[in-house]
Amino acid sequence: MNRTTLSLIAGVAALAAVTGFATLDAPDTSGADTAKAAARLPVERTGLVCPAPSTSDLAETAYTSFTPVTKGAAAKGTAHLTAATEESTDTTGRTDGKDGKDGKTDDKAGKSKEKGGKAAAKPVLAPKAPGTPATGTTSGGTTPAYLGTAEGAYAPGWTLQETTEVAAGTGRGLLGVNCAAPDTEFWFPGASTAADRTDYVHLTNPDDSAAVVDIELYGPDGALQTTVGEGITVPPHASDPILLSTLTAEKQDAVTVHVNVRSGRVGAAVQALDDKLGGDWLAPAGDPAGSLVIPGIPKDAVSVRLVAFAPGNADADLKVQLASSTGLITPAGHETLHVKGKMSASVDLGDVTRGEAGSLVLTPTDDAVPVVAAVRVVRGKGDDQESAFIPATADVGTRASVADNRAKAATLSLTAPTGTAQVKVTSSAGSEGGATASQTYTLKPGTTQDVVPPAPQGLKGTYAITVEHVSGAPVYAARTLLSTDKDTPGFTIQTLPDDRGTVSVPEADENLDVLQR
């Protein structure tokens, strides 16, 4: 046995002392297969990023936190939000399992302390126990971006919704976004640098070191010439809103934004504000794929504009279909869409839903070429028109949730493009009281079904919706939320991809054969 082997054995012994799970017992060589099937276990930590909601003095923003009850999750945990303008702290907005029943913060005065002993602002919300939403509000145009972390019981499927109502001005209406996990790459088809649009890409860094980001813009003729889009530094625990029109002099109405992180991680979202058609958040599109689904186009949409982009050099030819309430149909005059490589393609589909529930289904006509896509939806008439965005998204998977649903203001859209499927929809208890309610729905192949979520018994406050896949083909979902302010006509739409509340953890035995030469 040589010196290298002895060093390896010594290292394993040290690891065993520290972790407590490694041993130096010789493996069983009887020939039995020691590999075990992977188990699905609840995640133990979830991080989310909420962008700064608005610069308008008229903005009223609601935050809603929700964690669905997950079998096998830890009995205790913590969840907190920290303003991105502050230093990282382990107590701001914190709730732990001991006090989770009443959602109170750790400090009796409702405040916490930053590093160095400085008093921090009162938390915007204190997440409650799993199964019950918690809410908080802010006003005006100085609300910062927030960094959220949930651990233990609060981590599996943790959902944060940011909803802002703006009474007047550019981008007025209802703006909503799901606070999302930080990542290293994002695609936003449907942005604009046109004169009547004011679009910002918000970059938020949740980590302790700076992130370096490149922003690329692509129009109908290819890449737009940009001036300062490369090597953007986002400081730690900070947020940077970047006006797209400052990156290029070109005025384009169908722009795809590519955010690529060279180092570190960021959360990213595009805030699209229109002079006449209100505004909303454009969430990142799902990963590039040959076939895409854009769920939940409102039945009363007066205008639907599709924007698609092929990230590679190859062109994509897509078959365009609408999954209606009765089945898949092809919009007259818009049977296919040709997308050139590295160029944005757009098509105005008009009032494609024609009073029925609908979802767009994009499939390759020949060879599959990865694409990303999103639609801009307009509702209303005259001066009361408002817009929202729906990106192509992943399916519900095992389970997905959306928070901040209000009585008589939320509609859930469910579609199963490829086959019959069954889902269970559960409305949580209200943030201020009430009891859960559930209902199971069966979806026919190629159809979209709009449903009013089952009303929680004795509802007080807002509630969360959880969709669980029961059987059959993949299901895609989106939630439309209407403004409850009569003086602020508006709506917003959020998709419901899998919440990734569980992770596959393979079970395996140790094997010291790797130490032998």
Side-chain angles (χ1 to χ4, degrees):
M1 187 177 292
N2 59 28
R3 186 184 303 273
T4 301
T5 303
L6 290 172
S7 299
L8 284 170
I9 292 177
V12 173
L15 179 64
V18 174
T19 64
F21 66 78
T23 70
L24 285 178
D25 294 338
D28 183 4
T29 58
S30 62
D33 185 2
T34 58
K36 306 291 177 60
R40 300 293 302 184
L41 299 178
V43 299
E44 297 180 354
R45 179 183 172 89
T46 298
L48 300 175
V49 173
C50 303
S54 178
T55 57
S56 172
D57 292 338
L58 302 177
E60 299 289 337
T61 301
Y63 293 88
T64 308
S65 167
F66 176 73
T67 299
V69 176
T70 303
K71 183 179 179 179
K76 300 179 180 180
T78 63
H80 62 269
L81 291 177
T82 303
T85 54
E86 301 175 0
E87 288 297 322
S88 177
T89 163
D90 56 4
T91 55
T92 300
R94 178 180 173 183
T95 288
D96 61 33
K98 296 179 180 179
D99 301 318
K101 293 182 180 180
D102 57 13
K104 294 180 180 179
T105 55
D106 290 326
D107 188 273
K108 294 181 180 180
K111 296 183 178 180
S112 59
K113 291 187 177 181
E114 297 180 17
K115 294 178 180 179
K118 181 182 177 181
K122 183 178 180 179
V124 66
L125 62 78
K128 296 183 179 179
T132 304
T135 62
T137 60
T138 63
S139 299
T142 60
T143 301
Y146 282 98
L147 312 175
T149 303
E151 298 179 344
Y154 296 89
W158 189 38
T159 299
L160 273 172
Q161 168 86 13
E162 176 185 288
T163 309
T164 303
E165 293 192 75
V166 180
T170 297
R172 55 95 180 106
L174 191 67
L175 296 80
V177 65
N178 281 326
C179 303
D183 209 335
T184 57
E185 186 176 39
F186 306 87
W187 295 97
F188 300 96
S192 176
T193 58
D196 57 355
R197 283 274 289 272
T198 306
D199 286 16
Y200 294 85
V201 57
H202 286 244
L203 306 174
T204 306
N205 180 5
D207 297 327
D208 295 330
S209 58
V212 180
V213 179
D214 294 335
I215 299 177
E216 300 168 335
L217 307 179
Y218 296 91
D221 299 320
L224 304 184
Q225 185 175 358
T226 58
T227 53
V228 291
E230 295 185 356
I232 299 171
T233 299
V234 184
H237 308 292
S239 186
D240 189 5
I242 299 171
L243 182 61
L244 294 185
S245 60
T246 63
L247 301 180
T248 181
E250 298 187 48
K251 301 299 182 183
Q252 299 284 354
D253 197 33
V255 174
T256 297
V257 180
H258 180 214
V259 175
N260 184 54
V261 185
R262 290 192 203 174
S263 63
R265 305 177 306 159
V266 299
V270 170
Q271 190 176 47
L273 309 176
D274 192 284
D275 291 343
K276 296 180 180 179
L277 298 176
D280 208 341
W281 289 97
L282 172 56
D287 293 336
S291 298
L292 300 174
V293 178
I294 303 175
I297 300 174
K299 61 183 180 181
D300 59 351
V302 297
S303 173
V304 176
R305 190 184 194 204
L306 169 65
V307 179
F309 178 78
N313 294 318
D315 294 357
D317 287 294
L318 300 173
K319 183 178 182 179
V320 180
Q321 293 179 293
L322 182 75
S324 69
S325 59
T326 56
L328 289 170
I329 61 175
T330 301
H334 302 295
E335 294 82 3
T336 61
L337 177 65
H338 181 69
V339 186
K340 295 182 179 180
K342 294 188 180 298
M343 298 183 186
S344 295
S346 64
V347 58
D348 289 318
L349 301 175
D351 56 343
V352 64
T353 52
R354 298 183 181 276
E356 294 185 10
S359 302
L360 279 185
V361 180
L362 308 178
T363 54
T365 60
D366 193 2
D367 295 333
V369 175
V371 293
V372 293
V375 297
R376 184 190 191 186
V377 176
V378 178
R379 295 174 64 250
K381 298 179 180 179
D383 294 337
D384 289 337
Q385 284 192 328
E386 229 266 88
S387 57
F389 296 86
I390 314 173
T393 186
D395 62 274
V396 167
T398 302
R399 181 188 67 183
S401 297
V402 63
D404 194 9
N405 300 284
R406 306 165 188 182
K408 300 181 180 180
T411 300
L412 181 65
S413 183
L414 304 167
T415 184
T418 60
T420 302
Q422 193 174 63
V423 295
K424 178 182 178 182
V425 176
T426 300
S427 298
S428 75
S431 56
E432 299 174 17
T436 62
S438 297
Q439 189 168 340
T440 300
Y441 299 91
T442 298
L443 307 174
K444 296 180 180 180
T447 65
T448 297
Q449 185 176 348
D450 280 356
V451 301
V452 176
Q457 300 176 15
L459 172 64
K460 294 182 180 180
T462 67
Y463 65 98
I465 298 171
T466 298
V467 179
E468 297 174 272
H469 184 261
V470 177
S471 63
V475 174
Y476 299 78
R479 185 278 313 269
T480 298
L481 180 67
L482 304 181
S483 174
T484 56
D485 186 345
K486 295 181 180 179
D487 296 327
T488 309
F491 73 108
T492 184
I493 302 173
Q494 281 73 51
T495 59
L496 281 78
D498 190 298
D499 66 15
R500 299 181 181 180
T502 60
V503 64
S504 180
V505 181
E507 183 178 348
D509 293 331
E510 72 280 356
N511 187 347
L512 298 185
D513 288 348
V514 297
L515 303 181
Q516 300 177 4
R517 297 187 62 182

